[in-house]
Amino acid sequence: MITKKVLIDNQVGLHARPATFFIQKANEFKCSIWIEFEERRVNAKSLLGVLSLGIVKGTEITLIADGADEEAALDALSRLIATDFGE
């Protein structure tokens, strides 16, 4: 299991369209992936779970991955976040 802290810096945070992009990318990997924010941990492959966190611009979250392709998953998700979800 590996973890990585990332900063959500796009205009709307992890809501609606950015959350959909994030979940689509997470589902490309076989490993389990979670997002941890304010003592809560949700499945990063679940739209309702991700949206329930209410992540806004300027929020630091922790990505957690566990499985065979965990490093590739966190690298890809971190790159997606760093590019502001292509916005």
Side-chain angles (χ1 to χ4, degrees), residues 8-39:
I8 304 297
D9 202 33
N10 65 312
Q11 196 62 34
V12 297
L14 204 49
H15 293 283
R17 197 171 72 148
T20 301
F21 292 150
F22 183 88
I23 291 157
Q24 287 171 343
K25 182 59 73 179
N27 277 301
E28 293 177 11
F29 300 94
K30 294 182 183 196
C31 64
S32 297
I33 307 169
W34 298 276
I35 299 174
E36 203 168 65
F37 174 62
E38 292 184 346
E39 312 278 328

Side-chain angles (χ1 to χ4, degrees), residues 71-87:
E71 286 185 39
L74 289 194
D75 286 344
L77 292 170
S78 297
R79 277 194 309 276
L80 180 66
I81 292 168
T83 61
D84 292 337
F85 305 92
E87 293 181 334

Side-chain angles (χ1 to χ4, degrees), residues 21-77:
F21 292 150
F22 183 88
I23 291 157
Q24 287 171 343
K25 182 59 73 179
N27 277 301
E28 293 177 11
F29 300 94
K30 294 182 183 196
C31 64
S32 297
I33 307 169
W34 298 276
I35 299 174
E36 203 168 65
F37 174 62
E38 292 184 346
E39 312 278 328
R40 293 186 55 213
R41 182 184 287 190
V42 300
N43 182 346
K45 297 179 180 182
S46 163
L47 182 60
L48 289 177
V50 171
L51 293 176
S52 74
L53 293 175
I55 297 168
V56 296
K57 179 179 180 158
T59 301
E60 184 177 73
I61 61 172
T62 303
L63 301 177
I64 304 162
D66 187 21
D69 54 356
E70 61 191 22
E71 286 185 39
L74 289 194
D75 286 344
L77 292 170

